[in-house]
Amino acid sequence: MFDVLYLFVLVWAALPLVRTLMQGGGGNHIAFVHRLYRDAAYILAAAIGIIVFEAALGISLEIYWFEELGQSHRYWLSLEYRVAIFLVVLLSVGLFVGANLRALCRSYAVVPASAPWIIAFGLAALVGFFATPLWIPLVRFLGATSAGVVDPVFGRDLSFYLLALPLYDRIVDIIIGILFVTSALWMGIGMAARSGTAAFAYRPDPFGASHPHRSVAIPAPEQSRAVWASWIRQGMVLGTLWCVTFGARQFLARYHLVVDGHSQVVAGASYADVNFWLPGYDLIVACLFAAAAILGLAAAIPRFRAWLLMHQSHWLTPFAALALLVVGAFVVPAGIEDLYVGPNQITLELPYLLRSIAGTRQAFNLEGPSVEEREFAVSATPLTTADLAKDAATLQDARIWDWRALEPQLQQIQGLRPYYTFHGVDIDRYEIDGAERQVMITARELDVTRLPAPAQVWVNLALKYTHGYGVVAVPVNEIDSRGNPVLWAHDIPVEAKKDLSVARGEIYFGELTEDHVYVHTTEKEFDFPQGQANAETVYQGTGGILLSNLWRKLVIAREFDGPRLFISGYFTPESRVMLRRNIVERAQTLAPFLSFDNDPYIVADGDRYSYILDAYTTSKNYPYSEAYQGSLASFRGYNYLRNSVKAVIDAYNGSVTFYVFDRHDPIINAYRQVLPELFKDEREMPENLRRHIRYPEDIFTVQAEMYGTYHMTNPTTFYNREDRWEVPHELYRSIEIAMLPYYVTTQLPGSDKPEFLLMLPLSVAGKNQMAGWLAGLSDGENYGKMVAFRFPKGTFIDGPAQVESRISSDSRFSGDLTLWDQHGSQVIRGNLIVLPLVGNQLTVMEPVYIEAEQTKMPMLARVVLGQLLPDDRKIEWASTLTDAERLLVGASAPTPAAAGAPATGTGNETLERARALFGEMQREYASGNFARYGELLQQLGKLLLPQ
């Protein structure tokens, strides 16, 4: 609708231009060009009108959306900054480019007097539009306060590097871009005039020679020389500005040495940077400003300019000398670094390595009051039944469900309808029957693309199917008699344990809600399936933009559904449109200056569901900190990272609340200075949400990968990388992958109770030997703290990859694994979990699933449980964790048949019977008869593991 209207306006505005082209110039070229210019102005005016109208629609949409969230102040502030930046750039760039173009075109009659200004301000408007994102670094700059930490080279406060330097860099880059465009125009017009291009005609001159066209005259030689001299002078002015700008850029580059120097072993300024490169940069700055002074004087003083251009040596000598100094400023430090520093590197770089180690650890929060490093002496005492009793609280939440295997299983048993889907299974803790338990929870979201094709009509997509419903929650280590997970929250309407129940189960805002919907229309919404019919509902919340007047409808119609909003009878003044329903997009639009975690998780908070989304502040300018280059692409290149904010998004109303959890982060403090209404203090978070916060996976992954190198604080050890650690590998679906952090509930050494934490073992680089493990704490006052455990030197503990290898090669297990991994089924080796226990005993567990190719629904077949001992290990498996625990402590021993290594005729008969049972299990599984499948599974367990 709008596109057709815009096209009509542009065609109407172009009619005078078409008429002029058809009439032709009649021999008067200049008059013809002026008429074309006048007629083109009509098109330009129409285009500007369309742009202004579109901007009004877009701004109105943003105002309404931010009003919905109660954050109008945030949008108006950003709009004010963007408009201010746009106007400053428009005026400064327009005047600068316009003055240069006017000077270049003054002598050309064919160019209308206003054309240079229109072109200049058109370019300036384009530059201003692309410069408006500067409002974010400008907000950081205006909100900067002292961080109380200074760099050791320049003595500048940390806030200068994190909050001011990025803005200076962006401004210099914009100025360089403007100078490049202006210089290109200067060069193009000047060269075209110099070569006598026919496109240009000098203004009539009383001293000019005759010409066939009365309105054009060929300039006299004196006039050509004057034009050329003006062009040269203008070039000198531009050259002056180039030198000043590059001088400023080189001056800022001095500070970037502290961030990223020339050394391959030091992150930041090294010995050569401080003693040679830095003076070299100072010399380059001096040379550039000297060149700017020469060019500026030549442009301002005609006599000096004439002297400078009189002989080639007058200008060549000073500029050649300056060029030689600049080249020397690059060559000499590089030569010294190769010839002197390289052979003496370990001695000369020692203090700078200490700076680099300290800076990186501070930047990634790897040291300080929130980080504790301890030794973990692995117990050599085998586990006993008494030990299991002491660790009952930990073992009752020892996770045997892998979230990757659980999701397709929940899709099968709790999807309920094809259009319901689950996106990721999250791990949290809830109070269940009076005790805190680990829970795996996932939202049942609506995916309208799964509706049958005939049902995918506008009414259904926009008005009817508007929301998902409820969650599914399971304990981390319980299974029913059929091999399925026990359900603590399930079905629709949701039946849930008390702490998992909510008053409103609708999910209008989630991880998969990418489309817009309308609520409060005359068409009732589908709520959930109910037998042969469907339950319907009317939205009772505050989310969405009201369609209460014509302009609001026009704004939404331009963005989405065009004339439908005006001709449809479904809409009333109380109707609302919900847009940006994806929770990550919602938070990013509200706070585009934050980075967000890849794993938001849903929380049942009593009234309704909410999502918690971790947010980060990042920078590339932390002094003496190495940039991250690890497995998470979204954080590569940054050398400073803080989990300063947690966003809470209401799944029913769509409200977004940002809670600040790191009051020492200078970046988030700067944003809070300028945008105080956007953020709340962590103490204002409701308790029913506060008890669900957890150490986020993304920052923990970054910290673990950086800690693998930066746990070495001795500079000599660090220089030689003698003790580097790395993230170990595990098997999943028989494929070796990097181990991911995992949430567990366990009791740390020195603690008096189990707590919920995120942990990851680390291995010696290049070896299958575990070196230690990291834990990120989540409970109460310990939230945000990290504990790093290292094993004593000289102690060999199997790493995860070694454990996986031992499971695969153990004759007690390999026969069954081979049997299950064929004939239409696949073995899935789940998440390998290293779990520390109270007496410094170290256990390892891994679930093993069987997945039929037809149903793609993994079923738990075995639980591997082992104890890792110094230079030894003990590994068992059973159909349940409890049975595996009994085997591990020697309460019962597996028979040869159970071990999977039959050596007699009776053993062969058992193997044949097991194969027959397994074949029948596959058939029942494929047909969906899960009750019979569970019975057969129990028979198979009794056959292979007789008690």
Side-chain angles (χ1 to χ4, degrees):
M1 178 178 77
F2 286 86
D3 295 338
V4 173
L5 179 62
Y6 294 157
L7 182 61
F8 173 78
V9 171
L10 290 173
V11 170
W12 178 78
L15 290 178
L17 180 63
V18 174
R19 188 184 306 114
T20 300
L21 289 171
M22 293 177 66
Q23 291 174 352
N28 190 333
H29 298 315
I30 292 181
F32 179 64
V33 170
H34 281 222
R35 288 200 304 274
L36 291 176
Y37 172 75
R38 178 202 62 197
D39 296 340
Y42 298 143
I43 302 175
L44 179 62
I48 291 174
I50 292 171
I51 291 171
V52 170
F53 182 67
E54 280 285 299
L57 291 173
I59 290 173
S60 297
L61 179 65
E62 296 302 319
I63 290 172
Y64 299 148
W65 187 79
F66 278 87
E67 280 180 351
E68 173 201 346
L69 293 174
Q71 294 290 346
S72 299
H73 60 280
R74 160 40 198 102
Y75 180 71
W76 283 112
L77 184 103
S78 67
L79 184 62
E80 289 167 9
Y81 278 118
R82 284 182 287 175
V83 169
I85 292 168
F86 178 81
L87 291 177
V88 168
V89 173
L90 180 70
L91 291 175
S92 57
V93 175
L95 291 173
F96 175 73
V97 177
N100 278 274
L101 278 178
R102 181 70 182 130
L104 287 169
C105 299
R106 185 180 293 114
S107 299
Y108 304 116
V110 74
V111 180
S114 60
W117 297 105
I118 292 176
I119 294 171
F121 277 93
L123 287 171
L126 193 63
V127 174
F129 175 77
F130 286 108
T132 53
L134 274 178
W135 79 271
I136 294 177
L138 181 61
V139 164
R140 284 201 301 261
F141 176 79
L142 295 176
T145 56
S146 175
V149 178
V150 298
D151 79 271
V153 177
F154 297 104
R156 301 299 298 261
D157 189 83
L158 183 61
S159 60
F160 169 78
Y161 292 94
L162 299 182
L163 306 173
L165 189 57
L167 179 63
Y168 299 153
D169 290 335
R170 295 280 296 278
I171 291 173
V172 170
D173 289 341
I174 290 174
I175 293 173
I176 289 174
I178 295 166
L179 285 175
F180 177 82
V181 172
T182 307
S183 300
L185 292 171
W186 170 79
M187 180 66 71
I189 294 174
M191 291 296 100
R194 184 75 170 172
S195 61
T197 300
F200 295 93
Y202 290 104
R203 293 184 182 278
D205 189 278
F207 304 104
S210 61
H211 192 276
H213 302 303
R214 291 174 297 169
S215 60
V216 179
I218 302 300
E222 294 80 6
Q223 187 182 9
S224 296
R225 283 194 294 271
V227 171
W228 180 250
S230 175
W231 185 76
I232 291 293
R233 179 179 176 277
Q234 192 173 355
M236 289 181 171
V237 173
L238 290 173
T240 301
L241 295 175
W242 272 111
C243 289
V244 170
T245 304
F246 274 118
R249 189 181 194 184
Q250 197 64 32
F251 180 80
L252 295 177
R254 298 162 65 252
Y255 297 108
H256 283 285
L257 283 177
V258 183
V259 176
D260 185 17
H262 294 85
S263 174
Q264 299 298 314
V265 298
V266 175
S270 62
Y271 175 85
D273 290 321
V274 172
N275 293 283
F276 303 105
W277 282 105
L278 186 55
Y281 280 19
D282 291 337
L283 179 60
I284 293 170
V285 172
C287 290
L288 287 169
F289 281 123
I294 295 171
L295 290 172
L297 288 173
I301 304 173
R303 293 181 62 185
F304 180 66
R305 181 167 67 250
W307 177 84
L308 195 67
L309 299 175
M310 186 181 301
H311 294 292
Q312 189 179 35
S313 60
H314 289 179
W315 62 265
L316 184 60
T317 301
F319 284 110
L322 292 174
L324 285 174
L325 288 174
V326 169
V327 171
F330 283 105
V331 172
V332 172
I336 292 175
E337 187 159 18
D338 287 339
L339 299 176
Y340 173 65
V341 177
N344 303 283
Q345 197 172 58
I346 184 60
T347 303
L348 297 175
E349 300 288 21
L350 194 64
Y352 303 97
L353 281 170
L354 288 171
R355 293 178 183 178
S356 180
I357 294 169
T360 304
R361 287 169 65 94
Q362 292 162 7
F364 290 96
N365 209 19
L366 298 176
E367 68 177 21
S370 63
V371 180
E372 183 180 358
E373 295 179 296
R374 302 188 206 168
E375 186 172 274
F376 188 92
V378 180
S379 172
T381 305
L383 280 168
T384 64
T385 304
D387 293 326
L388 295 180
K390 285 192 299 183
D391 288 297
T394 296
L395 293 172
Q396 77 167 347
D397 273 338
R399 181 164 56 84
I400 61 174
W401 285 112
D402 187 302
W403 67 90
R404 295 162 294 194
L406 183 62
E407 183 179 328
Q409 191 168 41
L410 294 180
Q411 186 66 52
Q412 290 281 350
I413 64 177
Q414 277 292 302
L416 304 182
R417 292 292 188 274
Y419 42 78
Y420 284 130
T421 187
F422 300 101
H423 178 71
V425 179
D426 299 304
I427 302 172
D428 201 351
R429 65 279 198 210
Y430 287 82
E431 187 172 322
I432 304 296
D433 299 330
E436 185 172 281
R437 297 293 303 276
Q438 258 193 95
V439 172
M440 304 181 79
I441 185 170
T442 182
R444 184 187 289 107
E445 296 197 58
L446 184 69
D447 184 358
V448 292
T449 62
R450 297 189 177 195
L451 286 170
Q456 292 191 27
V457 295
W458 181 78
V459 172
N460 281 342
L461 299 180
L463 309 179
K464 197 74 176 176
Y465 290 89
T466 58
H467 58 274
Y469 203 100
V471 300
V472 178
V474 306
V476 296
N477 66 348
E478 294 186 21
I479 60 174
D480 62 18
S481 60
R482 297 175 298 172
N484 291 326
V486 173
L487 301 177
W488 280 352
H490 56 93
D491 295 340
I492 302 178
V494 180
E495 298 180 19
K497 296 277 189 179
K498 182 179 179 180
D499 207 33
L500 287 161
S501 62
V502 296
R504 301 219 64 112
E506 298 94 333
I507 299 174
Y508 284 87
F509 301 87
E511 296 183 69
L512 299 178
T513 44
E514 304 289 348
D515 52 340
H516 70 285
V517 295
Y518 299 93
V519 295
H520 269 300
T521 64
T522 58
E523 179 71 20
K524 286 190 175 181
E525 305 165 49
F526 163 76
D527 200 19
F528 53 82
Q530 195 173 50
Q532 297 299 316
N534 291 327
E536 294 183 323
T537 188
V538 175
Y539 180 68
Q540 300 298 319
T542 59
I545 298 171
L546 272 171
L547 302 176
S548 55
N549 56 48
L550 179 62
W551 177 253
R552 285 174 175 260
K553 282 189 175 182
L554 193 65
V555 168
I556 300 302
R558 174 67 187 98
E559 189 71 18
F560 297 114
D561 292 313
R564 280 198 181 102
L565 268 69
F566 300 99
I567 62 177
S568 170
Y570 293 111
F571 299 101
T572 71
E574 288 75 36
S575 296
R576 295 169 177 265
V577 59
M578 293 181 173
L579 49 97
R580 293 175 185 152
R581 296 197 299 142
N582 180 280
I583 57 171
V584 177
E585 179 190 8
R586 205 166 179 82
Q588 282 178 333
T589 305
L590 196 54
F593 38 78
L594 298 176
S595 300
F596 292 92
D597 197 87
N598 291 310
D599 187 27
Y601 57 101
I602 195 165
V603 171
D605 65 3
D607 185 23
R608 46 186 171 257
Y609 297 114
S610 296
Y611 284 89
I612 297 180
L613 175 61
D614 286 281
Y616 306 99
T617 55
T618 57
S619 177
K620 298 181 178 180
N621 288 337
Y622 196 96
Y624 280 104
S625 175
E626 181 179 343
Y628 172 74
Q629 299 296 342
S631 61
L632 296 182
S634 56
F635 295 107
R636 287 177 194 155
Y638 293 103
N639 69 352
Y640 174 85
L641 180 63
R642 285 291 185 276
N643 173 220
S644 300
V645 177
K646 291 186 181 293
V648 177
I649 303 97
D650 189 312
Y652 188 70
N653 288 323
S655 62
V656 182
T657 309
F658 294 103
Y659 295 96
V660 175
F661 275 74
D662 188 346
R663 294 189 293 272
H664 303 291
D665 175 22
I667 297 179
I668 201 62
N669 287 338
Y671 289 129
R672 294 186 76 182
Q673 284 285 110
V674 183
L675 296 165
E677 296 89 352
L678 184 60
F679 300 100
K680 292 185 177 182
D681 192 85
E682 61 173 301
R683 290 168 291 192
E684 298 181 64
M685 177 179 276
E687 183 57 34
N688 61 333
L689 291 173
R690 175 73 189 228
R691 61 196 181 95
H692 290 289
I693 63 172
R694 62 186 196 180
Y695 205 110
E697 294 179 57
D698 280 1
I699 192 172
F700 187 78
T701 299
V702 172
Q703 289 177 311
E705 293 177 2
M706 296 301 293
Y707 189 78
T709 299
Y710 284 90
H711 73 92
M712 298 178 285
T713 54
N714 181 285
T716 303
T717 306
F718 179 88
Y719 176 81
N720 294 314
R721 299 295 199 268
E722 294 176 8
D723 190 24
R724 192 170 65 84
W725 300 350
E726 63 186 10
V727 175
H729 286 74
E730 63 174 342
L731 289 180
Y732 181 72
R733 289 185 178 271
S734 303
I735 300 172
E736 188 173 287
I737 61 171
M739 202 167 184
L740 300 174
Y742 50 87
Y743 291 99
V744 297
T745 298
T746 189
Q747 185 170 332
L748 294 176
S751 177
D752 57 355
K753 62 179 181 179
E755 52 189 313
F756 184 73
L757 52 88
L758 181 65
M759 70 171 288
L760 181 69
L762 293 172
S763 295
V764 178
K767 297 182 179 180
N768 290 326
Q769 174 186 351
M770 207 184 310
W773 52 282
L774 297 179
L777 311 186
S778 299
D779 288 346
E781 296 300 319
N782 286 334
Y783 170 75
K785 295 181 180 179
M786 189 170 73
V787 185
F789 293 93
R790 65 176 68 213
F791 299 146
K793 294 291 184 184
T795 301
F796 181 88
I797 304 294
D798 280 347
Q802 186 70 17
V803 173
E804 296 277 24
S805 176
R806 294 187 188 280
I807 294 171
S808 299
S809 60
D810 194 312
S811 60
R812 296 173 297 161
F813 316 141
S814 58
D816 290 332
L817 292 173
T818 302
L819 173 66
W820 295 336
D821 207 16
Q822 60 186 350
H823 302 305
S825 64
Q826 181 181 11
V827 170
I828 299 176
R829 303 270 286 270
N831 188 203
L832 182 74
I833 294 177
V834 177
L835 185 64
L837 300 180
V838 172
N840 276 24
Q841 285 141 329
L842 200 62
T843 61
V844 60
M845 62 184 62
E846 180 179 74
V848 179
Y849 307 92
I850 304 174
E851 180 185 73
E853 289 183 359
Q854 292 177 323
T855 59
K856 298 295 182 184
M857 190 168 113
M859 303 291 288
L860 183 67
R862 290 290 184 272
V863 177
V864 176
L865 181 65
Q867 181 183 7
L868 301 181
L869 305 163
D871 302 313
D872 199 4
R873 82 289 311 157
K874 184 180 181 182
I875 302 174
E876 301 290 347
W877 80 351
S879 55
T880 67
L881 178 60
T882 302
D883 290 344
E885 291 171 5
R886 294 174 59 197
L887 289 171
L888 191 64
V889 299
S892 61
T895 64
T904 66
T906 303
N908 289 329
E909 293 173 4
T910 301
L911 184 58
E912 290 301 320
R913 174 62 181 154
R915 285 175 176 164
L917 278 172
F918 186 70
E920 188 177 354
M921 284 172 60
Q922 288 181 308
R923 290 190 293 274
E924 297 296 341
Y925 187 82
S927 65
N929 188 353
F930 300 119
R932 176 59 179 161
Y933 177 90
E935 294 173 2
L936 293 170
L937 180 62
Q938 289 182 329
Q939 292 180 32
L940 184 62
K942 292 177 181 178
L943 179 68
L944 296 177
L945 294 171
Q947 301 301 315

